[in-house]
Amino acid sequence: MAWLHLGLAGLLEVAFALCLQASAGFTRPAWVVATAVSGLASFYLLSLALRTLPVGTAYAVWTGIGAAGVAFVGLVVKGEPATPLRLAALTLIVAGVAALRLAGE
C-alpha cells in the first residue's frame, strides 16, 4: 500500500506543478486553490508512504515521478523541445525510479 500511496503522491506532485504554472503567480484564484489542494494531498500521501518506506527511497521516487511527469507533460502537451539530451536525462530519471522500486523497501 505504501508504494501505491507514493505513486499517487508523485502524480499529485505533477498536478501541483502544472497548477502552480496555471496560477500565473497566484493571480488566478481557482488555480491557487487547485495548487494548494494538490500540493497538500501530495504531501499527505507521501507522509503515509513514509510510515513504511525509507525516507531516502520515498523522497527520491516522489521527486522523480514529479520531475519526469512534469517534463513529459511539457514535451507532449506544451510543445517543449524533445532534444536528445533531454530525452536521455528523462530516461535516466525513470530508470532511477524503477531501480529504487525494484530494490524494494
Side-chain angles (χ1 to χ4, degrees), residues 57-83:
T57 299
Y59 188 76
V61 169
W62 179 67
T63 58
I65 292 170
V70 172
F72 181 78
V73 170
L75 292 171
V76 174
V77 176
K78 297 185 175 284
E80 295 176 3
T83 64

Side-chain angles (χ1 to χ4, degrees), residues 49-61:
L50 287 172
R51 291 179 179 176
T52 305
L53 301 174
V55 67
T57 299
Y59 188 76
V61 169

Side-chain angles (χ1 to χ4, degrees), residues 23-98:
S23 78
F26 292 113
T27 61
R28 296 178 176 162
W31 287 109
V32 172
V33 171
T35 299
V37 168
S38 59
L40 289 171
S42 179
F43 278 123
Y44 175 71
L45 289 170
L46 175 62
S47 76
L48 294 180
L50 287 172
R51 291 179 179 176
T52 305
L53 301 174
V55 67
T57 299
Y59 188 76
V61 169
W62 179 67
T63 58
I65 292 170
V70 172
F72 181 78
V73 170
L75 292 171
V76 174
V77 176
K78 297 185 175 284
E80 295 176 3
T83 64
L85 184 56
R86 178 177 278 192
L87 295 175
L90 285 173
T91 300
L92 289 172
I93 293 170
V94 171
V97 167

